[in-house]
Amino acid sequence: MNENLQHWYPVASSNDLPLRHVYQGQLWGRELAVWRADDGFVNVWENRCLHRGVRLSIGLNEGRELRCLYHGWRYANRTAGCTYIPAHPADAPARTICNNTYHAIEAHGLVWSSVEPMGDFAVPEALEGQETLALRPIPVKAAPELALKHAATYRFSADGSAANDTSVEAKEGGYVLLSADGAQMMLFVQPIDADRSVLRGVLINPTEDHLALLRYHNSGLSALRDVIESDAAKLPTPAAIEVSFSKVDADLAAMPERAKSGPKAELRVTVAQKWLASDGVMGFRLESLNEQLPTVQPGAHIDVHMPNGMSRQYSLTNGPGEQDHYTIGVKLEPKSRGGSECMHNAVQTGDVLAISAPRANFPLRRDATQTVLVAGGIGITPMLAMAQTLKAQNLPFQLHYFAQSEAHLSFRPILDDLGENLITHLGLSPDETGVALRNALASYDYAHHLYICGPGPMLEATRKIAGDQGWPEEAVHFEYFKNVNTIDDSSSFEVALARSALTLHVPAGKSILDVLQENGIETPSSCEQGACGTCLATVIEGEPDHQDVYLSDSEKASNSKILTCVSRSKSKRLVLDI
Amino acid sequence: MKLYDYELSGNCYKIRLFLSILNKSFETQTVDFYPGQEHKSPPMLALNPLGQLPIIEDEGKVLRDAQAILTYLAAKYDETGEWYPLQDPDRLGEVAQWLAFADGITGTASAARLHDGLFYDLDVEAARAGAHRLFRILDEHLWFAEQAGQSWICSGNHPTIADIACFPYVILSEEGGISRQDYPAIRRWCDRVKRIKGFIGMSGVFPTSAAA
């Protein structure tokens, strides 16, 4: 174990990271892809796509996501979680697909990182609270130890005149503190590899003319580099550091733990902000207590567990790469069973809530030549996430937002950014809504896709109009708030679990999910009313009695999938891949 | 206009790139540079006794040498007058200085690439060391240009043919075993070149993302 790996080193200058650029760095033999997202966050990632190992430093910094140039895999700002795989446009990538990241701290014009940090980053004492100026970094073909030895010989003066006597203080962790007639500088040696380094100087309380100082030290440090390199040339070149990379992330390689039954609440968040997002809709900005929040994909929802013991599903409105918080919108339902009433009245700013990780059961394709988003009322929330994703990628789309009035339009700042892509339809009667939808869906063409979220009747109407106007079922994607079908649970049947080698009897009055959970078969679930798709299982044999609103008609007809929380069996026996 | 062209040549790419930026149409005649060595054949030697590409024919005029062709195209077809600033002696001098520098890049980085890619028999280590020497100079120059708020090789707010002349063999350097990891200012300048309106790539030259 090399204890140097535990030190923090500067690995880039702040001005190495303009927007939409990927900087190529290295520390102790590990190549780094360093990029600043549009929100200012600095990402330090292992410089290879975990798909085929191509350098991410030749990838595309698209501001919120980094796209690998090889097969177009996209990774989110902050988490490095994969958000999109073009070869599987209709599917949401598994949350476990995540690039390897390193820590990153930006301070005093430098970006600092560490391979295996022991403890948090602390600014070197001499820099703390001081005005500083980071010098032009000077790469040196020499071992870090040799470069450090020579760093102590650097001589300079405060005003750029002839170099003065310099006092030297060597510091642990790869830098020296140099002082000459009142002026101070720190000279860091960034270890690139066994035989390569970078000299990074920082002036402390520099005099006014920065450009002159930068030029003065650039020529001084370049001369020092020449001395170091001629010295290094006399020594044998050390062998490059061998870095062993795990082929895949440990979480990916290991068998996942059996999922616990029921709705999950593995994350703790605080309500950082609660505001009226429109008439009757409360917005909540949720921030993690300590850890990085898991990657958000457009269309994802979370379970929120409320102080009153209930849990409800809410779509995230987050745009791509917005990974420092989750935002949800909650409409106060006049006939609230307690959920929205609790969120509106009981939950306050500063409260801690338990939530699940996001589930991407309503994934967005990014290969459509035209995307039509249709939102009714609070159905706008997943559409905002989708619209921002399409906008960020310059993909063609329209968002049709049906609401009662101007005052009912939620999340105005996001809407305002959508410009001409947003078309609002205010205060329309059901008939007028039908006309508007027929116009919006008039021109289906190959590779057009439609996404709908809204109240049940509007969703039904939109699906019907789309079907009538030639939209094939596979181009129509939808998410219901809830399942308003009356569930008929009068049947009884047998469920055979192919993987578990278990046959169970499902009596009238109980769901398949109930019976699975009673028998110790861990099955994830969320809404438990046939709307969200979390408890989806694969059918191997038998004819399901579908009662959900998640599957499309053709998916239902194929008899290959079932939502175990509400659907049952028409055949005496159902064989599931569980 | 006709360009005697070889797809994998960085010097031919300079011309294709600049004509694309100027939005000027042209035809190409493919020359079997490798392995056919057609550029050394008598008909080609009649056009260019040096036996090199690119060559253009334009309205009866035959012109060789990438930097010379860029100069000609800019002076004749660039309506903005920015790419080759004939009216500005300071900048014109800078352009000429960096066009000569581009020749140095061809002699080193391009030579290393010919060795690795097309099996030329030459001292590749010397070629690589020479390229690194030039890249250090260019990186330092571009770093201080950025400090002065300038984006391009020559002073002023508009790129010149010096940027076009230097870009191809810089961006293709890794095909000759020359990493650009030590040259962050060069890497940023490459992104800026890729964002010039009308930019096109070639084999081994990839696009970058849109500016923020």
Short mmCIF file of all heavy atoms in Angstrom, two decimals, chain A residues 15-16 18-26 57-58 60-62 69 136-137 139 192 196 211 214-215 218 222 225 229, chain B residues 132 136 139-140 143-144 146-148 174 179-185 187-188 191 195 206-212:
data_model
loop_
_atom_site.label_atom_id
_atom_site.label_comp_id
_atom_site.label_asym_id
_atom_site.label_seq_id
_atom_site.Cartn_x
_atom_site.Cartn_y
_atom_site.Cartn_z
N ASN A 15 -8.76 27.02 -14.45
CA ASN A 15 -8.95 27.52 -15.82
C ASN A 15 -8.59 26.48 -16.89
O ASN A 15 -8.64 26.75 -18.08
CB ASN A 15 -8.24 28.86 -16.06
CG ASN A 15 -6.76 28.79 -15.77
OD1 ASN A 15 -6.17 27.70 -15.74
ND2 ASN A 15 -6.14 29.94 -15.57
N ASP A 16 -8.24 25.27 -16.45
CA ASP A 16 -8.17 24.14 -17.39
C ASP A 16 -9.55 23.62 -17.74
O ASP A 16 -9.69 22.75 -18.60
CB ASP A 16 -7.38 22.97 -16.77
CG ASP A 16 -5.88 23.16 -16.86
OD1 ASP A 16 -5.43 23.80 -17.82
OD2 ASP A 16 -5.17 22.68 -15.95
N PRO A 18 -12.80 25.02 -18.80
CA PRO A 18 -13.90 25.85 -19.31
C PRO A 18 -15.13 24.97 -19.54
O PRO A 18 -15.01 23.74 -19.57
CB PRO A 18 -13.36 26.38 -20.65
CG PRO A 18 -12.35 25.38 -21.07
CD PRO A 18 -11.77 24.80 -19.81
N LEU A 19 -16.27 25.58 -19.69
CA LEU A 19 -17.48 24.80 -19.92
C LEU A 19 -17.34 23.99 -21.22
O LEU A 19 -16.68 24.41 -22.17
CB LEU A 19 -18.71 25.71 -20.01
CG LEU A 19 -19.09 26.43 -18.71
CD1 LEU A 19 -20.38 27.21 -18.90
CD2 LEU A 19 -19.22 25.47 -17.54
N ARG A 20 -17.94 22.82 -21.21
CA ARG A 20 -18.03 21.94 -22.39
C ARG A 20 -16.67 21.44 -22.86
O ARG A 20 -16.43 21.28 -24.06
CB ARG A 20 -18.79 22.64 -23.54
CG ARG A 20 -20.16 23.17 -23.15
CD ARG A 20 -21.10 22.06 -22.78
NE ARG A 20 -22.38 22.53 -22.28
CZ ARG A 20 -23.49 22.65 -23.02
NH1 ARG A 20 -23.46 22.33 -24.29
NH2 ARG A 20 -24.61 23.04 -22.47
N HIS A 21 -15.77 21.21 -21.93
CA HIS A 21 -14.45 20.68 -22.26
C HIS A 21 -14.17 19.50 -21.33
O HIS A 21 -14.69 19.45 -20.22
CB HIS A 21 -13.39 21.77 -22.08
CG HIS A 21 -11.98 21.30 -22.35
ND1 HIS A 21 -11.53 21.02 -23.62
CD2 HIS A 21 -10.94 21.04 -21.51
CE1 HIS A 21 -10.25 20.63 -23.55
NE2 HIS A 21 -9.88 20.62 -22.29
N VAL A 22 -13.39 18.54 -21.80
CA VAL A 22 -12.95 17.44 -20.93
C VAL A 22 -11.43 17.48 -20.86
O VAL A 22 -10.74 17.35 -21.88
CB VAL A 22 -13.42 16.06 -21.43
CG1 VAL A 22 -13.12 15.00 -20.37
CG2 VAL A 22 -14.90 16.07 -21.76
N TYR A 23 -10.92 17.67 -19.66
CA TYR A 23 -9.48 17.77 -19.42
C TYR A 23 -8.93 16.36 -19.18
O TYR A 23 -9.56 15.55 -18.51
CB TYR A 23 -9.26 18.66 -18.20
CG TYR A 23 -7.84 18.76 -17.70
CD1 TYR A 23 -6.94 19.66 -18.27
CD2 TYR A 23 -7.41 17.97 -16.64
CE1 TYR A 23 -5.65 19.76 -17.79
CE2 TYR A 23 -6.11 18.07 -16.16
CZ TYR A 23 -5.23 18.96 -16.75
OH TYR A 23 -3.96 19.07 -16.27
N GLN A 24 -7.76 16.11 -19.76
CA GLN A 24 -7.13 14.80 -19.58
C GLN A 24 -6.04 14.93 -18.52
O GLN A 24 -5.07 15.66 -18.71
CB GLN A 24 -6.52 14.32 -20.91
CG GLN A 24 -5.94 12.93 -20.84
CD GLN A 24 -5.30 12.51 -22.16
OE1 GLN A 24 -5.16 13.32 -23.07
NE2 GLN A 24 -4.91 11.25 -22.25
N GLY A 25 -6.20 14.25 -17.41
CA GLY A 25 -5.23 14.34 -16.32
C GLY A 25 -4.72 12.97 -15.92
O GLY A 25 -5.10 11.95 -16.48
N GLN A 26 -3.84 12.96 -14.91
CA GLN A 26 -3.32 11.69 -14.43
C GLN A 26 -2.76 11.88 -13.03
O GLN A 26 -2.21 12.94 -12.70
CB GLN A 26 -2.23 11.18 -15.38
CG GLN A 26 -1.86 9.71 -15.16
CD GLN A 26 -1.10 9.13 -16.33
OE1 GLN A 26 -1.36 9.48 -17.47
NE2 GLN A 26 -0.16 8.25 -16.05
N SER A 57 -11.82 11.24 -21.99
CA SER A 57 -11.28 12.57 -22.28
C SER A 57 -11.44 12.94 -23.75
O SER A 57 -11.27 14.09 -24.11
CB SER A 57 -9.81 12.67 -21.86
OG SER A 57 -9.06 11.67 -22.50
N ILE A 58 -11.78 11.96 -24.61
CA ILE A 58 -12.16 12.35 -25.98
C ILE A 58 -13.68 12.37 -26.11
O ILE A 58 -14.21 12.54 -27.21
CB ILE A 58 -11.55 11.43 -27.07
CG1 ILE A 58 -12.03 9.99 -26.93
CG2 ILE A 58 -10.03 11.49 -27.05
CD1 ILE A 58 -11.78 9.16 -28.19
N LEU A 60 -17.70 13.72 -25.11
CA LEU A 60 -18.33 15.01 -25.31
C LEU A 60 -18.94 15.50 -24.00
O LEU A 60 -19.82 14.84 -23.43
CB LEU A 60 -19.43 14.91 -26.37
CG LEU A 60 -19.00 14.30 -27.70
CD1 LEU A 60 -20.16 14.29 -28.69
CD2 LEU A 60 -17.82 15.06 -28.30
N ASN A 61 -18.47 16.66 -23.53
CA ASN A 61 -19.05 17.30 -22.36
C ASN A 61 -20.26 18.08 -22.84
O ASN A 61 -20.13 19.13 -23.45
CB ASN A 61 -18.01 18.23 -21.72
CG ASN A 61 -18.58 19.05 -20.58
OD1 ASN A 61 -19.80 19.05 -20.35
ND2 ASN A 61 -17.72 19.75 -19.87
N GLU A 62 -21.45 17.54 -22.58
CA GLU A 62 -22.66 18.20 -23.07
C GLU A 62 -23.32 19.05 -21.99
O GLU A 62 -24.48 19.41 -22.09
CB GLU A 62 -23.62 17.15 -23.64
CG GLU A 62 -22.97 16.47 -24.84
CD GLU A 62 -23.90 15.62 -25.67
OE1 GLU A 62 -24.83 15.05 -25.10
OE2 GLU A 62 -23.66 15.51 -26.88
N LEU A 69 -17.63 8.81 -26.85
CA LEU A 69 -17.63 8.98 -28.30
C LEU A 69 -17.82 7.66 -29.04
O LEU A 69 -18.13 7.65 -30.23
CB LEU A 69 -16.30 9.61 -28.71
CG LEU A 69 -16.29 10.49 -29.94
CD1 LEU A 69 -17.42 11.49 -29.93
CD2 LEU A 69 -14.98 11.24 -30.01
N ARG A 136 1.02 28.90 -14.40
CA ARG A 136 0.88 27.93 -15.49
C ARG A 136 1.59 26.64 -15.07
O ARG A 136 2.75 26.66 -14.68
CB ARG A 136 1.51 28.47 -16.77
CG ARG A 136 1.47 27.46 -17.90
CD ARG A 136 1.89 28.03 -19.25
NE ARG A 136 1.91 26.95 -20.21
CZ ARG A 136 3.00 26.38 -20.68
NH1 ARG A 136 4.19 26.82 -20.33
NH2 ARG A 136 2.92 25.37 -21.54
N PRO A 137 0.89 25.48 -15.13
CA PRO A 137 1.52 24.22 -14.75
C PRO A 137 2.60 23.83 -15.75
O PRO A 137 2.47 24.09 -16.95
CB PRO A 137 0.37 23.22 -14.77
CG PRO A 137 -0.69 23.84 -15.61
CD PRO A 137 -0.52 25.32 -15.51
N PRO A 139 4.64 20.57 -17.07
CA PRO A 139 4.90 19.12 -17.06
C PRO A 139 6.40 18.85 -17.15
O PRO A 139 7.13 19.56 -17.86
CB PRO A 139 4.18 18.61 -18.31
CG PRO A 139 3.28 19.73 -18.73
CD PRO A 139 3.92 20.99 -18.26
N ILE A 192 2.45 12.25 -11.92
CA ILE A 192 1.67 11.73 -13.05
C ILE A 192 1.88 10.22 -13.12
O ILE A 192 0.94 9.44 -13.14
CB ILE A 192 2.14 12.39 -14.37
CG1 ILE A 192 1.88 13.89 -14.31
CG2 ILE A 192 1.46 11.75 -15.57
CD1 ILE A 192 0.43 14.28 -14.32
N ARG A 196 6.99 10.78 -14.56
CA ARG A 196 6.45 12.05 -15.05
C ARG A 196 5.76 12.80 -13.91
O ARG A 196 5.13 12.19 -13.05
CB ARG A 196 5.46 11.82 -16.19
CG ARG A 196 6.14 11.35 -17.47
CD ARG A 196 5.19 11.40 -18.64
NE ARG A 196 4.08 10.48 -18.46
CZ ARG A 196 2.83 10.75 -18.83
NH1 ARG A 196 2.53 11.91 -19.37
NH2 ARG A 196 1.88 9.85 -18.65
N LEU A 211 -0.31 39.21 -15.01
CA LEU A 211 0.25 38.68 -16.26
C LEU A 211 1.78 38.68 -16.22
O LEU A 211 2.43 37.71 -16.63
CB LEU A 211 -0.28 39.48 -17.45
CG LEU A 211 -0.03 38.84 -18.82
CD1 LEU A 211 -0.60 37.42 -18.89
CD2 LEU A 211 -0.62 39.70 -19.93
N LEU A 214 2.86 35.86 -14.01
CA LEU A 214 2.69 34.56 -14.68
C LEU A 214 3.83 34.32 -15.67
O LEU A 214 4.37 33.21 -15.74
CB LEU A 214 1.33 34.52 -15.40
CG LEU A 214 0.09 34.50 -14.49
CD1 LEU A 214 -1.19 34.69 -15.30
CD2 LEU A 214 0.02 33.19 -13.70
N ARG A 215 4.20 35.35 -16.41
CA ARG A 215 5.29 35.20 -17.38
C ARG A 215 6.63 34.98 -16.69
O ARG A 215 7.43 34.15 -17.09
CB ARG A 215 5.36 36.42 -18.29
CG ARG A 215 4.24 36.48 -19.30
CD ARG A 215 4.63 37.34 -20.52
NE ARG A 215 3.53 37.39 -21.47
CZ ARG A 215 3.30 36.47 -22.40
NH1 ARG A 215 4.10 35.42 -22.51
NH2 ARG A 215 2.28 36.59 -23.22
N ASN A 218 6.66 31.52 -15.27
CA ASN A 218 6.65 30.53 -16.35
C ASN A 218 8.06 30.33 -16.89
O ASN A 218 8.49 29.19 -17.11
CB ASN A 218 5.71 30.98 -17.47
CG ASN A 218 5.64 29.97 -18.60
OD1 ASN A 218 5.18 28.85 -18.39
ND2 ASN A 218 6.11 30.35 -19.78
N SER A 222 10.13 26.97 -16.22
CA SER A 222 10.56 26.24 -17.43
C SER A 222 12.06 25.96 -17.37
O SER A 222 12.52 24.88 -17.76
CB SER A 222 10.24 27.05 -18.69
OG SER A 222 8.86 27.23 -18.82
N ARG A 225 12.52 23.19 -15.05
CA ARG A 225 12.16 21.95 -15.73
C ARG A 225 13.34 21.42 -16.54
O ARG A 225 13.65 20.21 -16.50
CB ARG A 225 10.97 22.17 -16.65
CG ARG A 225 10.66 20.97 -17.54
CD ARG A 225 9.75 21.33 -18.70
NE ARG A 225 10.40 22.29 -19.59
CZ ARG A 225 9.73 23.08 -20.44
NH1 ARG A 225 8.42 23.03 -20.50
NH2 ARG A 225 10.39 23.90 -21.23
N GLU A 229 14.98 17.83 -16.03
CA GLU A 229 14.96 16.82 -17.10
C GLU A 229 16.36 16.38 -17.49
O GLU A 229 16.57 15.20 -17.80
CB GLU A 229 14.18 17.36 -18.32
CG GLU A 229 12.69 17.45 -18.02
CD GLU A 229 11.82 17.78 -19.24
OE1 GLU A 229 12.39 18.23 -20.26
OE2 GLU A 229 10.60 17.58 -19.15
N HIS B 132 7.09 16.95 -29.63
CA HIS B 132 6.88 17.40 -28.24
C HIS B 132 7.52 18.77 -28.02
O HIS B 132 6.97 19.62 -27.31
CB HIS B 132 7.45 16.38 -27.26
CG HIS B 132 6.53 15.21 -27.02
ND1 HIS B 132 5.29 15.34 -26.43
CD2 HIS B 132 6.65 13.88 -27.31
CE1 HIS B 132 4.69 14.15 -26.35
NE2 HIS B 132 5.50 13.24 -26.88
N ARG B 136 5.25 21.94 -26.88
CA ARG B 136 5.50 22.74 -25.67
C ARG B 136 5.43 24.22 -26.00
O ARG B 136 4.86 25.02 -25.25
CB ARG B 136 6.89 22.43 -25.11
CG ARG B 136 6.90 21.28 -24.12
CD ARG B 136 8.25 21.10 -23.46
NE ARG B 136 8.15 20.03 -22.46
CZ ARG B 136 9.18 19.55 -21.75
NH1 ARG B 136 10.40 20.04 -21.95
NH2 ARG B 136 9.01 18.61 -20.87
N ASP B 139 1.78 25.15 -26.79
CA ASP B 139 0.94 25.15 -25.58
C ASP B 139 1.17 26.41 -24.75
O ASP B 139 0.23 27.05 -24.28
CB ASP B 139 1.21 23.90 -24.74
CG ASP B 139 0.21 23.75 -23.59
OD1 ASP B 139 -0.95 23.39 -23.88
OD2 ASP B 139 0.58 24.04 -22.44
N GLU B 140 2.44 26.75 -24.58
CA GLU B 140 2.77 27.95 -23.82
C GLU B 140 2.19 29.19 -24.49
O GLU B 140 1.57 30.06 -23.86
CB GLU B 140 4.29 28.08 -23.69
CG GLU B 140 4.75 29.25 -22.87
CD GLU B 140 6.28 29.30 -22.82
OE1 GLU B 140 6.91 29.59 -23.86
OE2 GLU B 140 6.85 29.02 -21.73
N TRP B 143 -1.56 29.20 -24.02
CA TRP B 143 -1.93 29.45 -22.62
C TRP B 143 -1.91 30.95 -22.33
O TRP B 143 -2.85 31.50 -21.76
CB TRP B 143 -0.97 28.71 -21.67
CG TRP B 143 -1.49 28.59 -20.26
CD1 TRP B 143 -2.26 27.58 -19.76
CD2 TRP B 143 -1.28 29.51 -19.18
NE1 TRP B 143 -2.53 27.82 -18.43
CE2 TRP B 143 -1.96 28.99 -18.05
CE3 TRP B 143 -0.60 30.73 -19.07
CZ2 TRP B 143 -1.96 29.64 -16.80
CZ3 TRP B 143 -0.61 31.38 -17.83
CH2 TRP B 143 -1.28 30.84 -16.71
N PHE B 144 -0.86 31.61 -22.79
CA PHE B 144 -0.78 33.06 -22.54
C PHE B 144 -1.75 33.83 -23.43
O PHE B 144 -2.23 34.90 -23.04
CB PHE B 144 0.66 33.55 -22.68
CG PHE B 144 1.47 33.25 -21.45
CD1 PHE B 144 2.35 32.17 -21.42
CD2 PHE B 144 1.33 34.02 -20.30
CE1 PHE B 144 3.07 31.87 -20.27
CE2 PHE B 144 2.04 33.72 -19.14
CZ PHE B 144 2.92 32.65 -19.12
N GLU B 146 -4.76 32.75 -24.04
CA GLU B 146 -5.99 32.66 -23.23
C GLU B 146 -5.98 33.68 -22.10
O GLU B 146 -7.00 34.32 -21.82
CB GLU B 146 -6.13 31.25 -22.63
CG GLU B 146 -6.59 30.19 -23.62
CD GLU B 146 -6.72 28.81 -22.96
OE1 GLU B 146 -6.26 28.66 -21.81
OE2 GLU B 146 -7.27 27.91 -23.61
N GLN B 147 -4.83 33.84 -21.45
CA GLN B 147 -4.74 34.81 -20.35
C GLN B 147 -5.05 36.21 -20.85
O GLN B 147 -5.60 37.03 -20.12
CB GLN B 147 -3.33 34.80 -19.74
CG GLN B 147 -2.98 33.52 -19.00
CD GLN B 147 -3.87 33.30 -17.78
OE1 GLN B 147 -4.08 34.21 -16.99
NE2 GLN B 147 -4.40 32.10 -17.64
N ALA B 148 -4.71 36.46 -22.12
CA ALA B 148 -4.98 37.78 -22.69
C ALA B 148 -6.36 37.84 -23.33
O ALA B 148 -6.69 38.81 -24.02
CB ALA B 148 -3.90 38.10 -23.73
N GLU B 174 -1.82 11.54 -31.88
CA GLU B 174 -1.83 10.26 -31.16
C GLU B 174 -1.66 9.08 -32.11
O GLU B 174 -1.21 8.01 -31.71
CB GLU B 174 -3.08 10.13 -30.30
CG GLU B 174 -2.85 10.78 -28.95
CD GLU B 174 -4.10 11.18 -28.20
OE1 GLU B 174 -5.17 11.20 -28.82
OE2 GLU B 174 -3.97 11.48 -27.01
N SER B 179 1.17 11.77 -27.29
CA SER B 179 0.05 12.14 -26.43
C SER B 179 -0.01 13.66 -26.27
O SER B 179 1.01 14.33 -26.23
CB SER B 179 0.21 11.48 -25.07
OG SER B 179 -0.65 12.09 -24.13
N ARG B 180 -1.23 14.17 -26.14
CA ARG B 180 -1.40 15.61 -25.89
C ARG B 180 -1.78 15.89 -24.44
O ARG B 180 -2.19 16.99 -24.10
CB ARG B 180 -2.46 16.18 -26.84
CG ARG B 180 -2.01 16.19 -28.28
CD ARG B 180 -3.01 16.88 -29.19
NE ARG B 180 -4.32 16.28 -29.18
CZ ARG B 180 -4.65 15.19 -29.86
NH1 ARG B 180 -3.77 14.56 -30.60
NH2 ARG B 180 -5.89 14.70 -29.79
N GLN B 181 -1.60 14.88 -23.60
CA GLN B 181 -1.97 15.05 -22.19
C GLN B 181 -1.23 16.22 -21.53
O GLN B 181 -1.78 16.91 -20.69
CB GLN B 181 -1.67 13.76 -21.43
CG GLN B 181 -2.15 13.77 -19.99
CD GLN B 181 -1.74 12.52 -19.24
OE1 GLN B 181 -1.49 11.48 -19.82
NE2 GLN B 181 -1.65 12.62 -17.93
N ASP B 182 0.03 16.44 -21.92
CA ASP B 182 0.82 17.50 -21.30
C ASP B 182 0.51 18.89 -21.86
O ASP B 182 1.15 19.86 -21.47
CB ASP B 182 2.32 17.22 -21.49
CG ASP B 182 2.82 16.14 -20.54
OD1 ASP B 182 2.09 15.80 -19.60
OD2 ASP B 182 3.93 15.63 -20.76
N TYR B 183 -0.43 18.97 -22.78
CA TYR B 183 -0.68 20.25 -23.47
C TYR B 183 -2.14 20.67 -23.34
O TYR B 183 -2.89 20.70 -24.33
CB TYR B 183 -0.25 20.14 -24.94
CG TYR B 183 1.10 19.49 -25.07
CD1 TYR B 183 1.25 18.20 -25.60
CD2 TYR B 183 2.25 20.14 -24.61
CE1 TYR B 183 2.49 17.59 -25.68
CE2 TYR B 183 3.50 19.53 -24.68
CZ TYR B 183 3.61 18.26 -25.21
OH TYR B 183 4.83 17.65 -25.27
N PRO B 184 -2.57 21.01 -22.13
CA PRO B 184 -3.99 21.32 -21.93
C PRO B 184 -4.47 22.53 -22.73
O PRO B 184 -5.61 22.54 -23.18
CB PRO B 184 -4.10 21.58 -20.42
CG PRO B 184 -2.71 21.75 -19.91
CD PRO B 184 -1.81 21.02 -20.86
N ALA B 185 -3.60 23.50 -22.94
CA ALA B 185 -4.05 24.68 -23.71
C ALA B 185 -4.25 24.30 -25.18
O ALA B 185 -5.16 24.81 -25.85
CB ALA B 185 -3.04 25.82 -23.57
N ARG B 187 -5.22 21.32 -26.12
CA ARG B 187 -6.46 20.54 -26.16
C ARG B 187 -7.68 21.46 -26.17
O ARG B 187 -8.68 21.20 -26.85
CB ARG B 187 -6.52 19.56 -24.99
CG ARG B 187 -5.43 18.47 -25.06
CD ARG B 187 -5.59 17.40 -23.99
NE ARG B 187 -6.66 16.49 -24.29
CZ ARG B 187 -7.85 16.47 -23.68
NH1 ARG B 187 -8.10 17.32 -22.70
NH2 ARG B 187 -8.77 15.61 -24.04
N ARG B 188 -7.62 22.55 -25.40
CA ARG B 188 -8.75 23.48 -25.40
C ARG B 188 -8.88 24.20 -26.74
O ARG B 188 -9.98 24.39 -27.26
CB ARG B 188 -8.59 24.52 -24.27
CG ARG B 188 -8.74 23.94 -22.89
CD ARG B 188 -8.85 25.04 -21.84
NE ARG B 188 -7.62 25.77 -21.61
CZ ARG B 188 -6.62 25.36 -20.83
NH1 ARG B 188 -6.70 24.19 -20.24
NH2 ARG B 188 -5.53 26.09 -20.66
N ASP B 191 -10.69 22.11 -29.21
CA ASP B 191 -12.15 22.21 -29.07
C ASP B 191 -12.68 23.46 -29.78
O ASP B 191 -13.72 23.44 -30.43
CB ASP B 191 -12.55 22.29 -27.59
CG ASP B 191 -12.74 20.92 -26.96
OD1 ASP B 191 -12.40 19.91 -27.61
OD2 ASP B 191 -13.23 20.85 -25.81
N ARG B 195 -15.30 24.00 -33.15
CA ARG B 195 -16.57 24.74 -33.07
C ARG B 195 -16.65 25.86 -34.11
O ARG B 195 -17.62 26.62 -34.13
CB ARG B 195 -16.77 25.30 -31.66
CG ARG B 195 -17.06 24.20 -30.65
CD ARG B 195 -17.32 24.71 -29.26
NE ARG B 195 -17.57 23.58 -28.37
CZ ARG B 195 -16.97 23.40 -27.20
NH1 ARG B 195 -16.11 24.29 -26.74
NH2 ARG B 195 -17.25 22.35 -26.47
N PHE B 206 -12.45 13.63 -34.35
CA PHE B 206 -13.81 13.47 -33.86
C PHE B 206 -14.43 14.83 -33.55
O PHE B 206 -13.72 15.80 -33.29
CB PHE B 206 -13.81 12.60 -32.61
CG PHE B 206 -13.07 11.31 -32.81
CD1 PHE B 206 -11.89 11.05 -32.14
CD2 PHE B 206 -13.54 10.39 -33.73
CE1 PHE B 206 -11.20 9.87 -32.36
CE2 PHE B 206 -12.85 9.21 -33.95
CZ PHE B 206 -11.67 8.94 -33.26
N PRO B 207 -15.74 14.88 -33.53
CA PRO B 207 -16.39 16.16 -33.20
C PRO B 207 -16.30 16.46 -31.71
O PRO B 207 -15.92 15.59 -30.92
CB PRO B 207 -17.85 15.91 -33.59
CG PRO B 207 -18.03 14.44 -33.42
CD PRO B 207 -16.72 13.81 -33.77
N THR B 208 -16.63 17.67 -31.34
CA THR B 208 -16.77 17.98 -29.91
C THR B 208 -18.20 18.44 -29.67
O THR B 208 -18.99 18.55 -30.61
CB THR B 208 -15.74 19.04 -29.47
OG1 THR B 208 -15.74 19.10 -28.05
CG2 THR B 208 -16.08 20.41 -30.04
N SER B 209 -18.53 18.66 -28.41
CA SER B 209 -19.90 19.05 -28.08
C SER B 209 -20.13 20.51 -28.46
O SER B 209 -19.19 21.26 -28.68
CB SER B 209 -20.14 18.87 -26.58
OG SER B 209 -19.15 19.56 -25.84
N ALA B 210 -21.41 20.88 -28.51
CA ALA B 210 -21.75 22.28 -28.80
C ALA B 210 -21.30 23.15 -27.64
O ALA B 210 -21.23 22.70 -26.50
CB ALA B 210 -23.25 22.40 -29.00
N ALA B 211 -20.98 24.40 -27.94
CA ALA B 211 -20.57 25.33 -26.88
C ALA B 211 -21.74 25.58 -25.93
O ALA B 211 -22.90 25.39 -26.30
CB ALA B 211 -20.10 26.63 -27.50
N ALA B 212 -21.41 25.96 -24.71
CA ALA B 212 -22.47 26.21 -23.72
C ALA B 212 -23.30 27.41 -24.13
O ALA B 212 -22.81 28.31 -24.77
CB ALA B 212 -21.84 26.46 -22.37
#
